[in-house]
Amino acid sequence: MPDSTMPASLIPDSPIPDSPMPETDPADAPVRFDTKVALVVRADLAVWQKLNVAAFLATGIAAAAPDALGEAYVDGAGRRYGRMLGQPMLIFTADSDRLRAVRDAALERGLTLVPYVAAMFATGHDAANRAAFQAEDADAPDLVGLALRGPKKAVDKTVKGLALHG
């Protein structure tokens, strides 16, 4: 053990820095969001279907909440790239019954809700997707995914008990 009277710079792995701590960049500061975004994907889907559903649901949230989009990305050479949602999205997994329960709770709480039903896998464009969704039983749609956005506490209550997708 090093002698405690030695200068910190001479003690290996000392927690005391030799120089002042670097200033913290405001961009690195944690951000607290009043809203939360959750995607819920049906557990029994093929991997390609889960990815497809998550991608479409995320675009639905971005369209429903354009104020939640961040600024355009710019690389070191000054090239501009597209914008992304400015807050994290958590992806959960659920079975069909739990997806319907989440939908019902989200509707009761007035959350922004974006649905994806199984019939949409057989369509090729937006109008066909909307027609497939409208043709579903309104009280028991064959949901394969949902996206939710709203006040953090309301979304947390809605997805309580669901496992994160992994």
Side-chain angles (χ1 to χ4, degrees):
M1 177 155 187
D3 179 2
S4 62
T5 60
M6 293 175 59
S9 62
L10 299 178
I11 300 173
D13 299 317
S14 170
I16 303 169
D18 291 337
S19 60
M21 293 295 287
E23 299 244 350
T24 303
D25 182 348
D28 294 334
V31 176
R32 305 259 186 253
F33 296 98
D34 294 334
T35 59
K36 188 169 197 170
V37 176
L39 308 182
V40 185
V41 178
R42 201 169 77 192
D44 64 345
L45 299 178
V47 172
W48 74 266
Q49 291 173 314
K50 290 177 182 178
L51 294 170
N52 184 273
V53 169
F56 275 99
L57 293 175
T59 66
I61 291 296
D67 58 306
L69 291 173
E71 296 299 320
Y73 283 70
V74 180
D75 69 17
R79 293 179 290 247
R80 293 180 60 82
Y81 295 81
R83 298 162 47 186
M84 289 191 269
L85 206 62
Q87 71 182 98
M89 288 180 270
L90 297 176
I91 302 177
F92 297 90
T93 186
D95 64 16
S96 295
D97 291 337
R98 189 69 174 121
L99 265 167
R100 277 193 294 278
V102 166
R103 181 198 72 137
D104 293 346
L107 288 170
E108 286 175 20
R109 292 186 172 104
L111 301 176
T112 298
L113 189 58
V114 181
Y116 197 109
V117 295
M120 291 163 68
F121 288 126
T123 65
H125 55 86
D126 184 56
N129 284 347
R130 286 184 280 111
F133 178 70
Q134 189 171 30
E136 291 285 320
D137 178 344
D139 294 322
D142 187 11
L143 293 167
V144 295
L146 288 171
L148 322 165
R149 181 174 185 266
K152 184 181 181 320
K153 287 183 181 182
V155 172
D156 284 342
K157 286 179 184 177
T158 305
V159 298
K160 185 175 182 170
L162 295 183
L164 285 170
H165 191 280

